[in-house]
Amino acid sequence: MAPQVGIPEQAWEFLSDMVDNCVGRAVKGTKKEVVILAHKDGLYGGDNLIDEEAISWISTAFTSRGHRCSILWVDDPQLVHEWRYPPVVKKAIEGADIIVNTPWQMPVEEIADFRDHIERSHLGDPERMTEQGRKDFPQTPDKQPKEATAEGYDAGTWMVRVFPVTADLMMTDWARTPYELTIMLRHISSEPFMNLDKPTKFTMTDPNGTNLTGFTVNPVKREDEHGRGVPGMPYDSWRENSSHYLPCPEWVHPPINCTHVNGVLYFTEMLPWWSKFIGISPYWSDPIKITVEESKMVGIEGGVEAKKLYAFLKEMEGKVGEKIWLFDTFHFGIHPNAHVNYYQCPNDIYRRTIEHMDCSNVHWHLGSAGGRPGYNFYPHITGDIRKCTLTIEPEGGTPVPVYKDGWLCCQDDPRLAEIMKKYPGRPGIPVNPNTLPELKPGK
């Protein structure tokens, strides 16, 4: 469909892709009730970057496809350890078919009440479950109707987390990369981890000094506060098959669970949701060194950032228990163009969030603890590295390179090149920077 009047063609490429291909993969038909959630503090310099024109463009994209669209502005800044799932938002979600979530401060990744409301019973929906999903989610209930929300279970609503929240960001190569490309990249990047019958050895290094070894395992059946098994997302899952959560653009591979991890991790950046509440910048210059023994953090060294991180983890231990010291999960970005410059996004929090989803970004979870009564949040503190070399070593098999010097190797897969033939003029897989020649003096 041609761009709407008043919306730049490059922005429309992102917006129509979001509605037709991201949402369209999961939600069939038109005349759906759509609620766009926006946070007012972004209009006066708060953390929730936003602009009113971008919100109106999102609304136009949905109404142009026959949906009914409303906009809910909230003004509810989040406080450390007191993050809220506002009741008005919960009620709006229960009345909608699709919620478009734009506030940076309202992620389902951290706020457990929000996650349960969006995702929980959908995990067992037999109509959308893959074969691997049935193996990994054998005991979850079938999808509940919207009325069955007394225990906070699934509202029956699809949530689209829109990351490009300004007009400028909607016109970047990051936003304009075809959704079909990123979702396929996410899917095929799982293939090295699908030796699910037994733990598989890995080695991970980085020029910054990181050197880790361990074994990858199945998505772990973790236990919630009631002792019930809560499995991880299947590594090869498609978004529409495994939850009601649709990030746009797509951003990370499902978490890879590990055992017997040993070595050291050095890092100078992290996912900024937690860096903000720890009290440090998303970027810093003096590396934090984490020493790991048998999948547990036993040393945290560095400058002021390391001291603040250790103090925060000690505080979290009193809230979520000893699992805050576990070091047993990593994953990585799956977007080939997730980087913007300062002039496109002068906000450090958002720029680091975007970089977190780039294919070059591998991150470890610093702690592996779930929420509990009285503290219903998921600690998702990360240590991010950008020049990783990662090799999977199947027993008796040939080592499989997953990363080489920060390059996610599956970006060379011909299946991705075939997809890009359908999108002439759109950003695709970039040139591997490790293959670019140098200009040396005298040549």
Side-chain angles (χ1 to χ4, degrees):
M1 184 180 291
Q4 296 293 297
V5 174
I7 300 179
E9 182 176 358
Q10 289 182 318
W12 189 249
E13 286 177 337
F14 163 71
L15 291 161
S16 58
D17 200 14
M18 173 189 67
V19 177
D20 297 339
N21 297 322
C22 175
V23 178
R25 287 173 64 100
V27 184
K28 308 303 179 185
T30 58
K31 299 189 184 301
K32 302 297 183 183
E33 292 293 339
V34 179
V35 173
I36 301 172
L37 179 62
H39 206 296
K40 188 177 180 181
D41 82 343
L43 299 179
Y44 50 82
D47 292 325
N48 297 286
L49 184 66
I50 201 71
D51 76 49
E52 291 179 282
E53 188 155 41
I55 292 294
S56 72
W57 289 357
I58 294 171
S59 178
T60 298
F62 278 99
T63 57
S64 74
R65 300 307 197 252
H67 301 297
R68 303 178 177 93
C69 202
S70 304
I71 300 171
L72 174 62
W73 288 90
V74 297
D75 192 4
D76 190 21
Q78 303 279 19
L79 303 176
V80 63
H81 303 309
E82 297 180 14
W83 304 291
R84 279 179 18 105
Y85 179 33
V88 66
V89 174
K90 183 175 183 179
K91 289 298 182 183
I93 287 175
E94 290 175 1
D97 299 302
I98 301 165
I99 182 81
V100 180
N101 190 10
T102 66
W104 176 79
Q105 282 193 340
M106 211 167 292
V108 296
E109 288 84 358
E110 275 75 31
I111 302 175
D113 290 341
F114 196 178
R115 182 187 293 190
D116 280 357
H117 202 204
I118 291 294
E119 293 187 343
R120 179 64 66 90
S121 64
H122 177 66
L123 295 175
D125 185 349
E127 295 182 1
R128 298 186 177 90
M129 189 58 63
T130 63
E131 181 178 352
Q132 184 60 44
R134 292 189 182 95
K135 295 177 182 177
D136 288 336
F137 300 99
Q139 297 179 343
T140 48
D142 287 346
K143 181 172 170 57
Q144 303 296 310
K146 287 195 175 191
E147 302 80 47
T149 57
E151 298 182 33
Y153 268 40
D154 198 333
T157 303
W158 291 89
M159 189 195 80
V160 186
R161 184 177 181 186
V162 175
F163 287 100
V165 290
T166 67
D168 281 350
L169 287 176
M170 288 181 182
M171 293 185 280
T172 60
D173 284 357
W174 162 57
R176 294 175 53 244
T177 299
Y179 181 80
E180 184 180 358
L181 179 73
T182 58
I183 202 70
M184 177 58 80
L185 204 163
R186 181 180 189 266
H187 184 67
I188 66 176
S189 66
S190 70
E191 292 173 357
F193 306 101
M194 293 304 292
N195 183 16
L196 301 175
D197 295 332
K198 63 181 71 174
T200 305
K201 185 178 179 181
F202 74 85
T203 59
M204 179 183 293
T205 60
D206 187 284
N208 69 5
T210 292
N211 193 328
L212 293 160
T213 62
F215 294 83
T216 64
V217 295
N218 277 341
V220 173
K221 312 300 189 290
R222 305 183 189 279
E223 291 186 353
D224 63 15
E225 65 273 14
H226 303 295
R228 297 179 300 216
V230 181
M233 184 178 289
Y235 298 152
D236 64 341
S237 62
W238 301 98
R239 283 289 184 183
E240 66 272 18
N241 293 334
S242 56
S243 76
H244 270 169
Y245 173 35
L246 304 171
C248 193
E250 181 53 76
W251 70 324
V252 289
H253 185 277
I256 306 295
N257 295 295
C258 306
T259 187
H260 299 299
V261 183
N262 291 279
V264 291
L265 171 72
Y266 290 86
F267 61 102
T268 56
E269 50 199 64
M270 65 167 54
L271 192 61
W273 164 272
W274 286 97
S275 69
K276 173 185 171 61
F277 295 113
I278 292 170
I280 60 179
S281 167
Y283 311 89
W284 58 91
S285 56
D286 194 356
I288 294 177
K289 175 186 176 183
I290 304 284
T291 301
V292 182
E293 294 179 2
E294 288 299 303
S295 303
K296 185 176 181 180
M297 292 181 283
V298 298
I300 301 177
E301 303 170 74
V304 63
E305 292 83 8
K307 293 179 174 62
K308 287 187 175 182
L309 173 61
Y310 175 70
F312 193 82
L313 291 174
K314 284 294 290 182
E315 181 183 7
M316 292 295 290
E317 182 180 13
K319 298 179 181 296
V320 299
E322 292 184 356
K323 288 185 177 181
I324 196 62
W325 301 107
L326 289 180
F327 189 94
D328 63 1
T329 307
F330 76 89
H331 52 141
F332 47 88
I334 52 73
H335 197 296
N337 298 302
H339 37 264
V340 299
N341 62 42
Y342 177 85
Y343 301 100
Q344 292 168 315
C345 183
N347 184 303
D348 282 353
I349 285 176
Y350 269 82
R351 203 167 59 256
R352 178 81 269 279
T353 300
I354 293 167
E355 292 169 358
H356 184 82
M357 64 181 73
D358 192 85
C359 285
S360 66
N361 194 94
V362 176
H363 71 272
W364 281 89
H365 289 190
L366 308 182
S368 190
R372 57 173 53 185
Y375 193 80
N376 203 15
F377 308 109
Y378 291 100
H380 193 212
I381 305 164
T382 73
D384 295 32
I385 57 178
R386 304 298 296 276
K387 299 288 185 179
C388 172
T389 293
L390 170 62
T391 303
I392 299 294
E393 304 174 28
E395 185 178 345
T398 303
V400 179
V402 180
Y403 271 89
K404 177 63 175 175
D405 298 327
W407 178 257
L408 181 59
C409 298
C410 73
Q411 291 179 94
D412 300 322
D413 194 294
R415 287 172 286 183
L416 302 178
E418 285 299 310
I419 288 175
M420 283 312 301
K421 291 179 181 178
K422 296 158 50 176
Y423 299 93
R426 297 276 290 279
I429 302 298
V431 174
N432 182 346
N434 301 318
T435 66
L436 295 175
E438 295 179 279
L439 179 62
K440 296 183 178 180
K443 293 188 177 183

